[in-house]
Amino acid sequence: MKVKVNVGCSNRNDKVETEKEKIRYAVARQVDYISEISLIPSSKNELLDFINTLDHKSTKFCTVPLYDSVLTNTDIFAVIKQQHSRGIKCFTLHLTPKRLIDSAIAHQFVINSRAGNFLYVLAKGNIENPHFEVFEKIISFIRENDCELFVGTSLRPGRVAESKRSQLWLEELNFIKSFMESQGVHKDEYILECGGHIDSTLIDTLVGAVADNKICVMGPLVTDATNAYDDLSSIIGATALRSKKEIHTHLMLTRDEHIRLPTLKAFKRGLDIALVLKHNINLIQKDEETVKTEDRFRNQSNQCTTGVNIFGPIQGDLEVCTMCGRHCPLRNIKYPSVSLEKKHIGLRKRDSHESEQYIQ
């Protein structure tokens, strides 16, 4: 499984330097995809210039051309060519037709995606999705330049309840797959970005809809009751989904996702959680490199697991474990001949009197 993260400035007061730090952290963690989705053209230009300076051999950068096409009133194909010339090798297209956006408006479907809201504005102005007019040019360009392609859904349910009330999200999935086939695009040529909030009873329906397509998911999120815990909800949903369908890419969410642009701290935490998910799922899939990594750490942890993890050592003194004090079971079993007085494992000076009383 691969991991994808979003970065970018949504408002003029968002700090470009913070987004640069997110990018640096994600590249250092060798994230598979970083999607730059700024809604402020000047911020996007600065971030694209920054991306061009990076050595990111194992990370691909992605954009959503629809945003920049609408914001700058530029032909969407011209946007793709221009961004490719600045180092972008991966694009996310949103192929929801106007008729489905019109249906969402008529039925008061909660459109839970940025792209969906851009298409909503166009539909209100009686304008068709701009991808369709130049789609042949786009797909030819992507093939000729060996770019990767995500196709995102725009009618992802904003609430689990919405996924049960309306089947628009399912109709959209079926349309996208049918459209790509009609254009001669094989299912191996793109990754279907879908999911959103899906009732747990509808996971089988989602699996049936995506069939053997490669998928990028944000979980799915299977509960309405844990807003601001999207990171946990999404990995639980991804684990449940993985039992039924292989996941190509997991799109990382943070706790902040519903209410604000993630802070740098929230971004780092969310990414680390997603990387744990990636490692676990790759183990389930018996990915060769992941199994080797796990075996290496398994050998390293023959004394104690303190400081042994895929993110490097835990900060602090590795000789101090405050969980068990002098009664560390791993140390006592491995080194029974070493006296308690010589171990000093987890015994802080301020706790010494209490611990000695307990030993007696």
Side-chain angles (χ1 to χ4, degrees):
M1 188 189 79
K2 299 183 178 183
V3 171
K4 184 180 183 183
V5 300
N6 290 332
V7 299
C9 299
S10 299
N11 298 292
R12 296 191 183 282
N13 59 345
D14 292 334
K15 296 180 179 179
V16 172
E17 289 305 315
T18 299
E19 301 310 297
K20 289 181 181 179
E21 285 302 314
K22 292 178 184 178
I23 293 171
R24 288 191 185 99
Y25 189 78
V27 169
R29 286 280 187 249
Q30 297 183 318
V31 166
D32 302 283
Y33 304 101
I34 300 176
S35 190
E36 201 297 315
I37 56 173
S38 288
L39 300 183
I40 310 300
S42 59
S43 299
K44 176 176 285 290
N45 284 330
E46 188 171 346
L47 286 169
L48 289 181
D49 287 342
F50 171 71
I51 288 167
N52 244 339
T53 68
L54 298 175
D55 180 11
H56 51 87
K57 295 178 182 177
S58 61
T59 299
K60 288 188 177 181
F61 283 88
C62 184
T63 60
V64 183
L66 176 66
Y67 303 165
D68 309 294
S69 173
V70 175
L71 290 169
T72 63
N73 194 28
T74 304
D75 174 77
I76 198 163
F77 182 53
V79 169
I80 290 173
K81 290 193 297 181
Q82 189 269 337
Q83 291 180 348
H84 179 265
S85 71
R86 301 180 71 178
I88 301 301
K89 306 298 181 184
C90 181
F91 298 95
T92 300
L93 309 183
H94 289 267
L95 301 176
T96 314
K98 178 179 176 295
R99 66 173 180 81
L100 287 182
I101 299 295
D102 288 339
S103 185
I105 295 170
H107 292 91
Q108 297 183 319
F109 181 90
V110 178
I111 299 177
N112 185 41
S113 74
R114 281 185 178 181
N117 279 277
F118 274 91
L119 293 174
Y120 167 85
V121 172
L122 294 177
K124 293 288 281 186
N126 200 32
I127 300 172
E128 180 58 273
N129 186 324
H131 290 94
F132 296 129
E133 186 176 355
V134 291
F135 185 79
E136 288 185 13
K137 291 182 180 179
I138 292 174
I139 199 66
S140 295
F141 183 86
I142 285 172
R143 286 168 172 164
E144 290 167 5
N145 292 280
D146 196 26
C147 297
E148 281 199 70
L149 174 62
F150 286 82
V151 178
T153 54
S154 306
L155 300 179
R156 295 190 297 267
R159 300 170 298 192
V160 170
E162 198 78 31
S163 70
K164 298 186 75 172
R165 184 183 73 84
S166 172
Q167 295 290 291
L168 267 176
W169 63 272
L170 186 58
E171 187 177 347
E172 179 188 38
L173 276 175
N174 291 330
F175 169 83
I176 290 171
K177 292 181 59 178
S178 176
F179 174 78
M180 296 298 276
E181 184 178 358
S182 71
Q183 297 298 309
V185 183
H186 192 268
K187 58 180 176 291
D188 286 340
E189 293 185 86
Y190 68 99
I191 301 146
L192 188 56
E193 191 169 302
C194 56
H197 293 69
I198 299 290
D199 187 84
S200 57
T201 64
L202 294 173
I203 290 181
D204 284 340
T205 303
L206 174 63
V207 170
V210 297
D212 53 354
N213 279 75
K214 294 184 289 186
I215 59 170
C216 171
V217 293
M218 296 174 287
L221 285 75
V222 293
T223 173
D224 283 331
T226 58
N227 279 358
Y229 286 89
D230 283 5
D231 53 348
L232 301 182
S233 181
S234 68
I235 64 171
I236 291 169
T239 304
L241 178 61
R242 176 57 190 86
S243 68
K244 301 173 182 292
K245 160 74 179 171
E246 184 172 339
I247 298 171
H248 179 277
T249 305
H250 178 76
L251 179 53
M252 183 270 288
L253 294 177
T254 69
R255 284 187 62 179
D256 295 350
E257 212 80 11
H258 272 113
I259 51 179
R260 65 175 66 90
L261 188 72
T263 64
L264 179 59
K265 181 178 180 181
F267 179 88
K268 289 181 176 181
R269 179 181 184 276
L271 177 51
D272 287 350
I273 289 173
L275 291 176
V276 172
L277 171 69
K278 173 182 178 178
H279 183 77
N280 290 345
I281 287 185
N282 282 351
L283 278 178
I284 293 171
Q285 295 176 175
K286 295 182 172 59
D287 174 74
E288 185 176 342
E289 289 303 314
T290 306
V291 171
K292 288 180 181 178
T293 298
E294 182 70 15
D295 287 342
R296 185 171 76 252
F297 284 112
R298 194 170 286 144
N299 293 333
Q300 289 178 3
S301 61
N302 61 354
Q303 292 183 28
C304 183
T305 56
T306 303
V308 180
N309 66 83
I310 60 175
F311 306 119
I314 297 173
Q315 292 182 353
D317 184 358
L318 298 189
E319 289 298 312
V320 176
C321 169
T322 60
M323 175 60 75
C324 303
R326 293 183 175 191
H327 308 282
C328 174
L330 288 175
R331 288 299 178 116
N332 289 338
I333 291 168
K334 292 290 291 185
Y335 304 103
S337 62
V338 180
S339 66
L340 285 173
E341 286 73 18
K342 291 181 180 180
K343 289 180 182 176
H344 306 300
I345 302 301
L347 185 60
R348 299 186 179 208
K349 289 184 179 180
R350 63 175 180 272
D351 299 329
S352 60
H353 178 66
E354 180 182 346
S355 296
E356 289 294 340
Q357 283 184 326
Y358 178 75
I359 292 171
Q360 293 173 6

